[in-house]
Amino acid sequence: MHHNAAFRCFAGCPGRYLLTQPIYRCPTCGGLLDVAHDLDALRTRTPDAWKRLFEDRYRRGPWPLGSGVWGKREWVAPGIPDDAIVSTDEGGTSLLRADRYARSIGLDELWIKQCGASHTGSFKDLGMTVLVSVVHHAVRQGLRVRAVACASTGDTSAALAAYGAAAGLPVAVLLPRGKVSTAQLVQPIASGAIVLALDTDFDGCMAIVQRLAADGVVYLANSMNALRIEGQKTVAIEIAQQLGWTVPDWVVLPSGNLGNAYALYAGFRMLKDLGLTTRIPRLAVAQAERAAPLYRAWTTGQREVRPITAGDTLASAIRIGNPVSAPRAIKALDEMDGVVEEATEAELCDAAARADRTGLYTCPHTAVALAALEKLERRGVVRRGDRVVVISTASALKFTEFKVQYHERTLPEIESTWANPPITLPPDYDRVLDALERHAAAMT
Ligand SMILES: *Cc1c(COP(=O)(O)O)cnc(C)c1O
Ligand SMILES: [Zn+2]
């Protein structure tokens, strides 16, 4: 069986381009690209045979097919030979039921897809393994690449730097100075990437890296590059697989540059087109109120997202005012009967703290999704009996400052209602006993 995939224009211009070509925009209209798969070839395997194949490989191998991404290689990037694949055994992340939290917000069935439980601590690994593997393959076929580069709000650069280092490819990352967490900043530094901290925001970094790519100086690793979407779409496939090849009623996702919203759609669409599932879930895109250009457009019925200057938000990875994948997200919302909701800083802090008290440990972006979900439930858009999956995009361990400041009550303008600071005591039995009793009394 021969599977095939190629770049094509997202807006429908004619033309097909090899995945190994360094091409990021349609040469005809200048718009975004998409990866087109040969669905007829894929249909020569039955839905049940695909399910069996995916189950057989899942978290087992043989290397690298135990990866959640490469276990679905025929649907992702066929034609990349095994020895060109650069993997960190990404994907295969847990889907856990958050019953106590669900009950606290009036829902019966809520699942968290833990995409941050990954090599570099965010879902960005899923797209990056595909992009770096394709570049690795292309370089071995003779493509000259001075550096693979990205603009980043932190997590993309961590993933690119790690996969680039694993492949032995030079990496350059452009970051907005002072606007990423310490953990995020140190990741590309440790991986040996050239780290350029620029006195601007993400959108300013993005403008420069796009120009470097257009001039042929670097290979562009941002999610404007459709290869990233192909890896990220496996989240949808994994969710269906983990739910016994069914889909939830809702998927809730924190979004910034909006590539991942489209990736979810692409995954669910392919599952349905190839007969593994029978429907597509609804999509709720969650944005931070200070960086919500899609929310503004969608809720006022506009089909185009007007760029804004994004304000300061604790959800730093989604502080984006000019989302590159806006047309892709509009398509996803159209096809998934989608909604867009926003969350304020106070709302995201409160949701994170309450969710953590039910055993979760939420990054600020996942908290934006939870806060948005709570609002949608209150408005009756999401109903009690709906089966909901929230995409957790990063590990909260990368955002320790956020947690520490909340519990130290030092976040400006935030009332830390659920702060739980440590109690400092002398090593005295009675004082310890007294503190335990007070705490128990306060909790009842
Ligand atoms: C990148 C990122 C997002 C946003 O994803 P987009 O595809 O840019 O919308 C959300 N959360 C975290 C933690 C991220 O790193
Ligand atoms: Zn075009």
Side-chain angles (χ1 to χ4, degrees):
M1 206 179 328
H2 186 71
H3 300 297
N4 221 333
F7 287 126
R8 69 165 171 212
C9 172
F10 182 75
C13 301
R16 289 277 196 279
Y17 315 93
L18 293 176
L19 295 189
T20 45
Q21 262 176 274
I23 181 173
Y24 321 105
R25 289 180 177 284
C26 168
T28 310
C29 72
L32 295 165
L33 294 172
D34 203 12
V35 173
H37 290 268
D38 183 349
L39 291 182
D40 287 333
L42 292 169
R43 281 197 189 94
T44 59
R45 198 177 244 133
T46 65
D48 278 341
W50 279 121
K51 290 177 191 173
R52 265 199 311 277
L53 181 68
F54 292 164
E55 300 282 1
D56 283 349
R57 291 171 176 166
Y58 195 64
R59 300 183 71 167
R60 274 200 293 265
W63 181 269
L65 304 189
S67 149
V69 173
W70 296 105
K72 278 93 180 169
R73 66 190 305 176
E74 295 86 353
W75 292 27
V76 171
I80 302 301
D82 279 14
D83 62 355
I85 290 174
V86 185
S87 173
T88 66
D89 202 27
E90 52 287 310
T93 52
S94 48
L95 180 69
L96 64 91
R97 242 180 103 130
D99 282 336
R100 257 194 90 207
Y101 176 72
R103 277 198 298 277
S104 76
I105 63 165
L107 294 177
D108 289 339
E109 190 178 346
L110 171 63
W111 301 81
I112 311 286
K113 179 62 173 162
Q114 294 281 55
C115 295
S118 184
H119 189 63
T120 71
S122 86
F123 80 85
K124 298 296 200 295
D125 290 347
L126 302 170
M128 211 52 87
T129 184
V130 176
L131 183 139
V132 171
S133 297
V134 171
V135 175
H136 188 221
H137 183 49
V139 165
R140 296 202 312 189
Q141 291 185 324
L143 179 73
R144 284 204 48 235
V145 172
R146 225 182 296 173
V148 188
C150 69
S152 175
T153 52
D155 291 330
T156 303
S157 57
L160 174 60
Y163 282 90
L169 290 167
V171 168
V173 304
L174 282 66
L175 299 168
R177 195 169 74 85
K179 297 188 179 78
V180 308
S181 78
T182 308
Q184 288 174 315
L185 176 63
V186 81
Q187 287 180 294
I189 290 174
S191 301
I194 304 166
V195 178
L196 304 168
L198 309 188
D199 252 323
T200 177
D201 56 9
F202 169 82
D203 299 294
C205 294
M206 190 66 208
I208 292 181
V209 81
Q210 283 197 48
R211 194 169 148 198
L212 289 170
D215 290 346
V217 180
V218 300
Y219 181 95
L220 183 69
N222 281 97
S223 59
M224 181 182 166
N225 186 326
L227 292 171
R228 291 262 309 276
I229 310 279
E230 291 309 293
Q232 290 171 205
K233 86 183 178 197
T234 60
V235 170
I237 307 170
E238 255 180 41
I239 289 170
Q241 184 174 354
Q242 288 169 306
L243 294 175
W245 299 107
T246 63
V247 300
D249 297 306
W250 284 97
V251 183
V252 188
L253 173 77
S255 291
N257 222 6
L258 306 179
N260 212 24
Y262 182 70
L264 282 176
Y265 164 65
F268 285 117
R269 165 100 266 158
M270 210 159 169
L271 281 165
K272 182 163 181 278
D273 284 349
L274 292 171
L276 280 73
T277 55
T278 53
R279 58 189 186 92
I280 290 181
R282 293 188 71 184
L283 173 68
V285 172
Q287 298 210 286
E289 187 201 32
R290 291 178 182 164
L294 180 69
Y295 176 80
R296 289 187 196 182
W298 189 255
T299 52
T300 56
Q302 286 159 54
R303 308 283 308 168
E304 281 202 13
V305 175
R306 285 237 311 276
I308 59 161
T309 300
D312 196 14
T313 170
L314 292 160
S316 51
I318 53 175
R319 179 181 180 171
I320 294 173
N322 187 11
V324 167
S325 285
R328 290 173 173 150
I330 296 283
K331 166 100 172 156
L333 287 165
D334 280 343
E335 298 281 335
M336 298 176 82
D337 191 13
V339 298
V340 186
E341 186 53 270
E342 62 176 5
T344 65
E345 298 302 293
E347 287 166 343
L348 80 87
C349 285
D350 189 61
R354 284 183 290 101
D356 287 359
R357 287 200 165 209
T358 66
L360 299 171
Y361 193 62
T362 47
C363 80
H365 322 88
T366 306
V368 166
L370 295 177
L373 173 61
E374 293 182 14
K375 292 165 97 171
L376 291 168
E377 191 279 332
R378 282 202 297 274
R379 290 217 318 268
V381 179
V382 175
R383 310 271 182 84
R384 170 178 283 276
D386 288 347
R387 177 189 262 187
V388 181
V389 174
V390 168
I391 309 292
S392 174
T393 45
S395 164
L397 294 171
K398 293 175 84 162
F399 300 91
T400 301
E401 294 103 321
F402 162 67
K403 298 281 184 210
V404 170
Q405 288 173 11
Y406 180 87
H407 289 285
E408 284 179 344
R409 299 195 168 89
T410 52
L411 286 174
E413 291 161 52
I414 296 296
E415 214 181 307
S416 295
T417 314
W418 305 91
N420 182 30
I423 302 160
T424 309
L425 290 176
D428 178 290
Y429 181 87
D430 292 325
R431 297 285 299 276
V432 169
L433 185 61
D434 180 58
L436 288 174
E437 278 169 355
R438 269 174 212 250
H439 184 75
M443 293 295 277
T444 53

